[in-house]
């Protein structure tokens, strides 16, 4: 912005009255004359750097703790279960695809042979996996049903003989 | 010094680079002396005040939050330092010294009268006159130091000069037309 109030004569008079001073500042000399202030400044700036480093350390430690707290339930989820239960799950996971009878397998065996063949298959599977049924077996259930029906109904499947377990496995 | 360079120097000085603080001191020295002179009315005392202001500034610098306000912050420290000095040395030096302290060749010139006219101004007017005519600062530079706009500076300078001219006229100073 161009000054609006230039009065050359007055400006010169004021400049001559108070100005015309060539000033130079010697900072090195000033530092020598003010050692205490310089030392305070250095101490402050140094402690500021140390504070920053310390805060960074605290922050990173806090982040690690937070991360550990977040991950802890995921890591210890399986550990919270009883040991026996974990063993059963492990056994089931390993033996399920090959040995444990499934509904589909049993259905195929029953359609191809008879109920007795189903029971035999289940018993063999139980022996291999170690998961013995605690309640009534299929064979016992079958006998009970036969007793109840009093042998009145004829069943073609009963007349079939079933001796070869390899056939059953092939069928499964 | 452009504002970008100044901001870099201020940030470096805040981080502990004392040489950057030295560069800033060299840049603002005459400005601070002008501000102190407007209060103390003596060149030597004004230089002492500016250097004492630097001593205060260097210890307070790490706590300065806004680096962009460095110049007004430094000017405020200098103003307070000069005011403290004039309070402490009120018996020895007053603003009357603007007219009383004479160099040997000044007895027959008009400078004491003009200094007396400046002494009669308001503190803010004295300060702006000193920044403009002691340090030969531009309106933009004055604006950065005082934190006011160029039109405001222009208006304040105009009023100050008018008062000086009126004072000189009342004292039979007829070297220029008002």
């Amino acid at each position: 912005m161009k000054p609006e109030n230039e009065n050359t004569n007055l400006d010169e008079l004021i400049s001559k009255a108070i100005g015309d001073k060539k000033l130079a500042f010697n900072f090195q000399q000033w530092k020598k004359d003010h050692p205490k202030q310089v030392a305070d400044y250095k101490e402050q700036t140094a402690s500021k750097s140390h504070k920053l480093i310390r805060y960074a350390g605290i922050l990173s430690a806090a982040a690690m703790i937070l991360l550990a707290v977040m991950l802890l339930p995921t890591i210890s989820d399986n550990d919270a279960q009883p040991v026996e239960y974990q063993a059963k799950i492990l056994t089931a996971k390993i033996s399920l695809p090959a040995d444990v009878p499934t509904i589909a397998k049993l259905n195929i065996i029953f359609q191809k042979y008879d109920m007795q063949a189903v029971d035999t298959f289940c018993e063999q599977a139980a022996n291999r996996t170690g998961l013995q049924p605690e309640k009534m077996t299929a064979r016992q259930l079958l006998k009970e049903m036969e007793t109840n029906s009093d042998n009145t109904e004829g069943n073609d499947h009963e007349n079939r003989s079933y001796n070869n377990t390899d056939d059953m496995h092939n069928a499964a | 010094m452009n504002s970008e360079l100044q901001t870099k120097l201020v940030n470096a000085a805040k981080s502990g680079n004392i040489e950057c603080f030295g560069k800033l001191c060299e840049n603002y020295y005459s400005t601070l002396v002008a501000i102190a002179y407007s209060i103390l009315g003596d060149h030597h005392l004004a230089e002492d005040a500016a250097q004492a202001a630097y001593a205060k500034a260097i210890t307070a610098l790490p706590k300065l939050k806004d680096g962009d306000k460095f110049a007004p912050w430094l000017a405020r420290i200098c103003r307070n330092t000069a005011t403290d000095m004039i309070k402490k040395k009120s018996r020895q030096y007053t603003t009357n010294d603007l007219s009383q302290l004479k160099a040997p060749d000044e007895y027959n010139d008009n400078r004491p009268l003009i200094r007396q006219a400046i002494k009669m101004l308001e503190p803010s007017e004295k300060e702006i006159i000193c920044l403009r005519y002691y340090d030969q600062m531009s309106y933009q530079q004055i604006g950065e130091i005082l934190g006011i706009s160029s039109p405001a500076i222009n208006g304040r300078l105009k009023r100050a000069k008018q008062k000086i001219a009126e004072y000189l006229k009342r004292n039979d100073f007829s070297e220029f037309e008002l």
Side-chain angles (χ1 to χ4, degrees):
Chain A
M1 182 178 175
K2 191 181 176 182
E4 296 173 0
N5 55 347
E6 290 298 329
N7 182 331
T8 310
N9 198 3
L10 184 57
D11 291 341
E12 282 177 8
L13 287 171
I14 296 170
S15 290
K16 281 179 184 174
I18 63 170
D20 291 337
K21 276 275 177 182
K22 300 295 178 189
L23 296 171
F25 179 66
N26 187 340
F27 184 64
Q28 301 307 323
Q29 184 60 45
W30 180 89
K31 279 200 294 186
K32 287 178 186 171
D33 294 341
H34 299 84
K36 186 179 178 297
Q37 285 81 2
V38 171
D40 285 351
Y41 165 76
K42 286 181 177 173
E43 190 182 336
Q44 278 190 68
T45 50
S47 63
K48 201 176 176 182
S49 303
H50 289 154
K51 272 183 186 174
L52 278 175
I53 292 166
R54 200 171 67 213
Y55 284 140
I58 291 169
L59 276 177
S60 57
M64 289 292 287
I65 291 166
L66 190 66
L67 191 66
V69 167
M70 286 170 69
L71 291 175
L72 193 63
T74 320
I75 294 165
S76 63
D77 192 29
N78 291 333
D79 298 338
Q81 306 296 338
V83 178
E84 290 175 7
Y85 182 77
Q86 286 183 49
K88 279 186 179 178
I89 291 170
L90 190 65
T91 310
K93 279 179 182 173
I94 293 166
S95 58
L96 188 64
D99 302 323
V100 174
T102 61
I103 293 169
K105 285 178 185 177
L106 296 175
N107 193 30
I108 291 167
I109 291 166
F110 179 73
Q111 284 181 2
K112 195 170 181 180
Y113 303 102
D114 55 11
M115 192 61 193
Q116 196 172 0
V118 171
D119 187 59
T120 306
F121 178 75
C122 287
E123 200 173 295
Q124 288 173 351
N127 288 334
R128 278 199 296 275
T129 58
L131 295 171
Q132 294 292 340
E134 292 175 0
K135 294 181 180 177
M136 187 182 284
T137 62
R139 191 189 296 278
Q140 289 166 338
L141 182 66
L142 190 65
K143 280 180 182 175
E144 194 171 316
M145 285 170 68
E146 282 172 350
T147 309
N148 290 340
S149 63
D150 208 13
N151 294 325
T152 52
E153 293 179 8
N155 193 339
D156 293 337
H157 293 293
E158 286 180 10
N159 297 326
R160 293 181 189 176
S161 62
Y162 177 69
N163 294 318
N164 192 351
T165 53
D166 290 338
D167 289 347
M168 284 193 301
H169 282 292
N170 291 336
Chain B
M1 183 183 289
N2 63 51
S3 60
E4 192 181 349
L5 176 61
Q6 181 182 295
T7 305
K8 283 181 182 174
L9 286 173
V10 171
N11 288 335
K14 280 176 70 179
S15 304
N17 190 332
I18 195 166
E19 295 308 318
C20 289
F21 180 74
K23 292 281 180 195
L24 291 164
C25 290
E26 286 167 6
N27 186 55
Y28 283 109
Y29 186 61
S30 57
T31 304
L32 293 200
V33 173
I35 290 170
Y37 179 81
S38 74
I39 297 165
L40 296 163
D42 178 82
H43 293 291
H44 298 295
L45 284 177
E47 288 204 55
D48 289 347
Q51 297 198 18
Y54 284 151
K56 290 179 182 174
I58 197 171
T59 50
L61 183 63
K63 294 170 191 167
L64 176 65
K65 289 180 181 174
D66 191 354
D68 294 336
K69 300 280 175 63
F70 176 78
W73 173 78
L74 195 59
R76 194 163 56 247
I77 290 174
C78 184
R79 215 174 282 132
N80 293 339
T81 305
T83 306
D84 289 344
M85 281 176 72
I86 209 163
K87 281 176 187 171
K88 285 178 185 173
K89 297 186 178 183
S90 57
R91 289 180 185 175
Q92 298 168 27
Y93 301 98
T94 66
T95 48
N96 289 331
D97 297 324
L98 275 167
S99 58
Q100 288 167 356
L101 292 172
K102 298 172 185 176
D105 61 343
E106 287 183 10
Y107 289 99
N108 295 322
D109 67 20
N110 50 36
R111 280 182 280 191
L113 189 63
I114 293 169
R115 288 175 186 165
Q116 183 63 30
I118 295 168
K119 190 212 80 170
M120 304 299 288
L121 299 173
E122 294 291 322
S124 62
E125 292 169 342
K126 262 193 284 189
E127 188 172 80
I128 208 162
I129 285 285
C130 287
L131 287 171
R132 179 68 175 159
Y133 297 103
Y134 188 102
D135 194 26
Q136 309 297 326
M137 288 176 79
S138 68
Y139 280 29
Q140 188 186 348
Q141 289 170 319
I142 295 171
E144 286 170 6
I145 293 291
L146 300 181
I148 56 175
S149 65
S150 292
I153 294 164
N154 201 43
R156 201 178 288 182
L157 267 175
K158 189 176 179 180
R159 281 194 299 276
K161 286 167 71 177
Q162 201 168 359
K163 285 182 184 178
I164 292 168
E166 285 169 4
Y167 180 85
L168 294 177
K169 191 179 177 184
R170 282 201 303 273
N171 286 275
D172 300 327
F173 191 91
S174 57
E175 282 191 21
F176 65 95
E177 292 298 322
L178 295 177

